[in-house]
Amino acid sequence: MTANLDLLEKNDPSVFAALRGEEARQRAGIELIPSENYTFPEVLAALGSVFTNKYSEGYPGRRYYGGQEYTDEIENLARDRAKAVFRCEHANVQPLSGSAMNQAVYLGLLEPGDTILAMDLSHGGHLTHGAPVSHMGKMFNFVRYVTDPSDGSINYDQVRKDALEHKPKLVLCGYTSYPRDIDYEKFKDIADEVGAVSMTDASHFGGLVAGGSMKNPFDFGFDVVTTTTHKSLRGPRGGMVLCKKSLASKIDKSVFPGLQGGPHMNAIAAIAITLQKAQSAEFKQYAKQVLINSKVLADALMDRQATLVTGGTENHMMVVDTVASFGLDGRVAEETLDKVQITTNKQIIPDDPNPPLRPSGIRIGTPAATTRGMVEEDMLQLADWIVTCLQNPEDDAALSNIRSDVEAFCGRFQVPGI
Ligand code: DSN
């Protein structure tokens, strides 16, 4: 690997310099975007391996190209480990990433024009949960449920009413910006009542389900669970569709040949590695600590007068209403924190009066910081820095001092693989 980087340095100094710059950035700052993480070093090795050279259209034992003895082995390993980790009957590990994974489910199990009940983007759902700007949003009839204005959480009575009125073929729970856990029992009952497929998009918290710190939708009888592999799971960029055996053939055909050609076998090797790691005692402890850190950070921010959407967190993330808390829109808040190397992302909040590129909040999460070994006392320090910066966005001297402190603090925490 090092030899290859030496070659890169010699033959393409521009890309090499950017790569070294990104390494330095990841080391010197605190990563708080809830969907990001530092992958396992073995995952980086697999991603840069010869598996990237191989075409493997098809599935193990039934491929359209020769030379598959090792690719079959790793894909079988990845599928078997996924089934063991998520306690499910079938796993497809080929989706190239999260959007393809969700599209494969809709296109495999439904007909264009069918109704899907899913969470509205501005209330925490994902683009692929039917945002009107997405292709899926145009191809299917999405009915989008919203959160309850009284406390910002899902109103299950309203979801049920929506389901009874619109009779969806698929009921989807899961989120990209919602700081609460899900009542799977209620969602499953609603799906059953209208005869719909029950699906969870667990992309954000897949690693926490794998590590046992959050509930597993399959324990409540769900039909389909999708998850990306690069967020709380700490794997490569990729996606998985996990489902009941009765849906396996439709899902597999939908992923290939329906939606994709050759799978990325280097990513599948890395997914296999990730899913073995996910079964370790260390990973279970990690998943637990992610939630502890999240709660401590959320409480500490609220103690320092920050307003959080839903008034706290039950998962790995929190959404700060920066307009209500500090009189700053989310873009200014994100840029202010960038100045001290604390990375967050601007975020629309429920019924946001402001546009997506200048929304009213930021999203903060603890998976990456926890990977580096940060614990409760470190979260208190982070809360101090975040609030001080957002209360003093024009104070360049204070920001510069905090930036130095952040860099010194980060020196105590290794980044895996760098
Ligand atoms: N972009 C991801 C996130 O940040 O939540 C979801 O795809």
Side-chain angles (χ1 to χ4, degrees):
M1 289 297 161
T2 315
N4 292 340
L5 280 182
D6 289 347
L7 261 187
L8 180 65
E9 181 174 20
K10 183 161 157 265
N11 294 331
D12 197 335
S14 307
V15 169
F16 181 80
L19 191 154
R20 286 292 192 227
E22 178 61 15
E23 281 182 357
R25 187 194 71 80
Q26 291 193 14
R27 222 186 271 116
I30 303 166
E31 181 52 71
L32 291 179
I33 294 173
S35 49
E36 293 195 14
N37 212 330
Y38 304 101
T39 194
F40 297 104
E42 295 91 333
V43 164
L44 291 179
L47 287 175
S49 74
V50 293
F51 278 120
T52 201
N53 298 340
K54 192 73 197 101
Y55 254 120
S56 303
E57 277 168 317
Y59 289 101
R62 207 160 172 274
R63 306 274 195 191
Y64 292 81
Y65 293 79
Q68 303 290 346
E69 55 268 50
Y70 301 110
T71 47
D72 277 5
E73 193 176 324
I74 56 162
E75 188 164 347
N76 279 329
L77 271 178
R79 296 199 296 193
D80 290 345
R81 289 175 183 174
K83 287 192 275 180
V85 167
F86 290 94
R87 299 189 289 283
C88 63
E89 293 171 357
H90 181 72
N92 187 307
V93 296
Q94 292 196 2
L96 301 181
S97 210
S99 294
M101 146 198 110
N102 285 341
Q103 287 167 20
V105 176
Y106 307 150
L107 295 166
L109 303 186
L110 309 175
E111 295 298 325
D114 278 353
T115 298
I116 300 175
L117 184 61
M119 196 172 200
D120 188 83
L121 178 74
S122 71
H123 287 251
H126 187 245
L127 272 174
T128 57
H129 299 175
V133 291
S134 72
H135 289 313
M136 293 300 107
K138 296 186 177 91
M139 188 177 290
F140 293 95
N141 174 38
F142 276 90
V143 174
R144 292 175 283 272
Y145 54 87
V146 296
T147 52
D148 195 313
S150 67
D151 61 358
S153 59
I154 293 170
N155 179 337
Y156 293 89
D157 293 335
Q158 187 57 48
V159 175
R160 180 167 176 267
K161 273 189 202 144
D162 290 343
L164 292 174
E165 180 182 344
H166 298 283
K167 301 272 184 297
K169 293 263 173 60
L170 188 147
V171 171
L172 171 61
C173 60
Y175 49 78
T176 191
S177 182
Y178 179 68
R180 295 283 159 191
D181 201 359
I182 291 171
D183 189 331
Y184 294 110
E185 208 171 332
K186 287 197 176 133
F187 264 113
K188 179 72 170 80
D189 284 348
I190 292 167
D192 286 351
E193 196 173 350
V194 296
V197 172
S198 50
M199 170 179 172
T200 304
D201 178 351
S203 292
H204 260 261
F205 48 93
L208 306 178
V209 172
S213 68
M214 289 191 76
K215 291 176 290 189
N216 182 343
F218 285 118
D219 292 342
F220 299 84
F222 267 60
D223 298 310
V224 182
V225 176
T226 55
T227 181
T228 49
T229 49
H230 47 277
K231 298 187 176 88
S232 50
L233 199 50
R234 293 192 59 199
R237 288 192 173 267
M240 300 193 287
V241 181
L242 313 166
C243 64
K244 288 186 172 163
K245 212 172 197 149
S246 55
L247 302 175
S249 160
K250 282 184 175 169
I251 292 294
D252 283 354
K253 280 187 194 138
S254 182
V255 174
F256 173 85
L259 194 63
Q260 298 181 178
H264 294 178
M265 296 313 298
N266 57 334
I268 289 177
I271 289 173
I273 292 165
T274 303
L275 291 168
Q276 190 193 43
K277 296 265 186 194
Q279 296 176 58
S280 66
E282 289 85 351
F283 193 80
K284 284 186 174 47
Q285 179 51 37
Y286 164 73
K288 205 166 137 191
Q289 190 66 43
V290 167
L291 293 191
I292 294 170
N293 283 350
S294 184
K295 173 100 177 70
V296 171
L297 181 54
D299 287 347
L301 288 170
M302 290 189 294
D303 287 347
R304 289 159 181 75
Q305 310 308 319
T307 303
L308 301 194
V309 172
T310 78
T313 181
E314 291 169 348
N315 57 22
H316 61 296
M317 75 164 90
M318 59 219 72
V319 181
V320 185
D321 182 334
T322 52
V323 172
S325 312
F326 308 104
L328 302 177
D329 68 50
R331 177 165 141 193
V332 173
E334 176 196 294
E335 286 171 358
T336 302
L337 292 170
D338 267 345
K339 287 185 189 162
V340 302
Q341 304 192 91
I342 293 177
T343 312
T344 60
N345 73 277
K346 58 179 119 13
Q347 181 64 45
I348 41 177
I349 64 171
D351 299 319
D352 203 327
N354 294 316
L357 283 174
R358 239 180 218 289
S360 299
I362 55 172
R363 207 174 48 147
I364 292 179
T366 52
T370 307
T371 296
R372 286 184 82 168
M374 294 177 198
V375 293
E376 292 92 316
E377 67 193 43
D378 304 311
M379 297 301 116
L380 301 180
Q381 175 63 81
L382 293 192
D384 268 343
W385 281 328
I386 290 168
V387 169
T388 306
C389 290
L390 298 182
Q391 284 174 340
N392 303 281
E394 310 282 348
D395 188 340
D396 290 339
L399 296 182
S400 168
N401 284 338
I402 292 178
R403 183 184 173 98
S404 304
D405 290 347
V406 165
E407 203 157 328
F409 170 85
C410 284
R412 291 175 26 217
F413 301 96
Q414 238 205 320
V415 176
I418 300 184

